[in-house]
Amino acid sequence: MAKLTKTLSVRVKDRHAKALIRQANAVNFVWNYINDLSHRSIRERGNFLSKYDFHPYTAGAGKELGLHSQTLQCIAAEYVKCRIKAKKARLRWRNSRGAKRSLGWIPINTGAASWKSGQVYFNGNHYKVFDSYGLSQYKFRTACFSEDARGRWYFNVVVDAEFERSEGKSATGIDLGCKKAATDSSGHVLVGREYRKLEEKLGNAQRARKTKRVRAIHAKIKNCRKDGQHKYSRKLVNENAAIFVGNVSSTGLVKTKLAKSVLDAGWGQLKTMLEYKCTMAGVVFEVVNEAHSTVTCSDCNKRTGPSGQEDLRIREWTCCECGVTHQRDGNASKNILASGLGRLAGGKVAA
């Protein structure tokens, strides 16, 4: 049994929405104050304030705004992290009203929230949640309340958890694609294409300007995609001791005509799921170079397959050297597996 951390997300009951929105608006106020303070410091003195430099300016504001004192510290820490990542002197304002309203967010420091009387206790208030994980058995670390586009609130908390090692003995390679989101050398397929399935209904709702309906359809697409990827990744991790994925870049392809299909496939999210699940289960996970994997015969290793964008429509082909017929994605996944195993044999294992 390995002991690692994981994040649990449970939905907060709607009766608490108004109280959470009030706190979220206060969080936005503090964020904007820090944003302006930081920008003035950089502009007037050339000084980039650290998260600790903000504490004297926000001390005591928690009581006036109805926020936990440690939440103010979390806002400052998150702001500095985002500023460094964006490499900007000033970030976007967090809006509490209007069409561009920022989704609610209330950060919680380690130990500031706890489980009491079957509810989440934070900042002097109890919040009822749909407890699907049995939160009473965990000790809360850092957490936050967050709002989605439909106005539903969630409690997200980091906890310590024990994970069982995978009993899988085999290895598999995964080819990521647009027609099928993922095809592995074991014969499993993740079709994906959730957006395409509901594209017509979404278009009708958008033309009719049914805002709530549009948000509900987008949420369904997101949830269906995530559910399929969770089930697929879990199956692979349980059955294998090593998983290799092609290094296809979604960030590059979203700038092409394939953008809609690439975003619908959700390659980045699937890779993230596989990576953390493999880490928890002690499974080797590595992203390998997939160059020429679709045109190379997995039997004789000759490049006899169809190449170029024009030949993407060809899903099956026969090798003119050895006569073996290949399914395009399945053949690519076998080549990715061979490349991954070759790296292991050479001693190049992901850290």
Side-chain angles (χ1 to χ4, degrees):
M1 299 285 284
K3 194 170 185 179
L4 298 169
T5 61
K6 68 176 180 179
T7 302
L8 305 178
S9 181
V10 294
R11 186 180 166 190
V12 181
K13 295 196 174 181
D14 293 338
R15 71 177 76 172
H16 304 294
K18 289 184 178 180
L20 291 170
I21 289 173
R22 283 195 295 270
Q23 292 185 67
N25 290 343
V27 168
N28 293 345
F29 178 82
V30 175
W31 176 279
N32 293 337
Y33 172 74
I34 289 175
N35 194 19
D36 183 60
L37 188 66
S38 175
H39 182 245
R40 286 175 55 191
S41 176
I42 295 169
R43 184 184 59 194
E44 296 172 5
R45 298 188 295 274
N47 182 26
F48 287 81
L49 298 177
S50 70
K51 61 182 180 180
Y52 302 107
D53 294 330
F54 289 116
H55 293 175
Y57 294 98
T58 58
K63 190 174 182 180
E64 286 289 328
L65 297 173
L67 294 176
H68 195 285
S69 59
Q70 293 185 15
T71 294
L72 300 175
Q73 300 172 16
C74 291
I75 297 170
E78 184 65 21
Y79 175 83
V80 171
K81 185 170 72 173
C82 292
R83 188 190 64 195
I84 294 173
K85 184 177 180 180
K87 298 180 180 179
K88 292 182 179 180
R90 183 168 63 184
L91 302 180
R92 288 183 180 181
W93 304 106
R94 290 188 62 87
N95 300 316
S96 298
R97 295 175 181 82
K100 296 183 179 180
R101 186 179 74 88
S102 303
L103 295 180
W105 167 66
I106 307 168
I108 302 171
N109 210 346
T110 301
S114 59
W115 185 259
K116 288 185 180 180
S117 304
Q119 301 172 75
V120 175
Y121 180 76
F122 169 67
N123 197 23
N125 298 310
H126 290 84
Y127 299 92
K128 286 191 174 183
V129 299
F130 295 95
D131 184 16
S132 54
Y133 293 102
L135 294 178
S136 59
Q137 62 183 311
Y138 297 105
K139 183 179 180 180
F140 295 174
R141 300 182 67 177
T142 55
C144 74
F145 287 102
S146 61
E147 182 189 15
D148 68 8
R150 290 186 290 175
R152 297 179 177 183
W153 283 86
Y154 296 85
F155 177 67
N156 314 291
V157 58
V158 178
V159 299
D160 292 317
E162 293 184 344
F163 299 92
E164 293 185 0
R165 296 285 181 177
S166 172
E167 296 181 357
K169 303 296 183 183
S170 57
T172 189
I174 304 174
D175 176 62
L176 303 175
C178 294
K179 288 287 184 181
K180 296 175 182 175
T183 304
D184 60 71
S185 56
S186 304
H188 304 129
V189 174
L190 175 64
V191 177
R193 300 180 65 84
E194 305 299 338
Y195 179 84
R196 297 288 188 178
K197 295 175 185 176
L198 296 172
E199 186 175 14
E200 185 178 351
K201 289 184 178 180
L202 179 61
N204 292 337
Q206 289 173 332
R207 286 187 289 272
R209 298 184 179 179
K210 296 180 179 179
T211 308
K212 289 185 178 180
R213 179 61 178 157
V214 170
R215 290 175 179 171
I217 294 174
H218 273 301
K220 184 174 182 179
I221 292 170
K222 174 186 174 182
N223 293 336
C224 289
R225 182 185 295 120
K226 186 180 289 186
D227 179 66
Q229 290 179 344
H230 269 302
K231 291 176 179 176
Y232 179 74
S233 57
R234 174 50 56 195
K235 184 177 182 65
L236 291 183
V237 170
N238 289 345
E239 294 179 354
N240 295 280
I243 297 175
F244 307 101
V245 184
N247 64 342
V248 60
S249 173
S250 55
T251 55
L253 288 175
V254 293
K255 300 175 182 178
T256 68
K257 294 180 180 179
L258 298 173
K260 186 186 291 187
S261 297
V262 170
L263 293 172
D264 193 18
W267 297 336
Q269 184 172 262
L270 178 60
K271 284 182 180 179
T272 300
M273 289 182 183
L274 284 169
E275 185 173 10
Y276 78 73
K277 289 179 182 179
C278 285
T279 301
M280 293 173 179
V283 175
V284 174
F285 174 80
E286 198 167 354
V287 178
V288 300
N289 185 8
E290 66 166 16
H292 311 298
S293 60
T294 59
V295 300
T296 303
C297 173
S298 56
D299 281 54
C300 66
N301 207 31
K302 300 291 185 179
R303 296 181 187 175
T304 58
S307 60
Q309 280 196 342
E310 294 182 357
D311 289 340
L312 283 175
R313 66 183 185 277
I314 302 175
R315 310 312 300 173
E316 287 190 4
W317 55 278
T318 302
C319 178
C320 59
E321 293 287 336
C322 62
V324 177
T325 300
H326 298 289
Q327 196 280 331
R328 187 186 186 100
D329 297 334
N331 175 72
S333 65
K334 293 177 182 177
N335 287 325
I336 290 171
L337 172 61
S339 177
L341 293 175
R343 284 177 61 84
L344 290 184
K348 299 176 181 179
V349 184

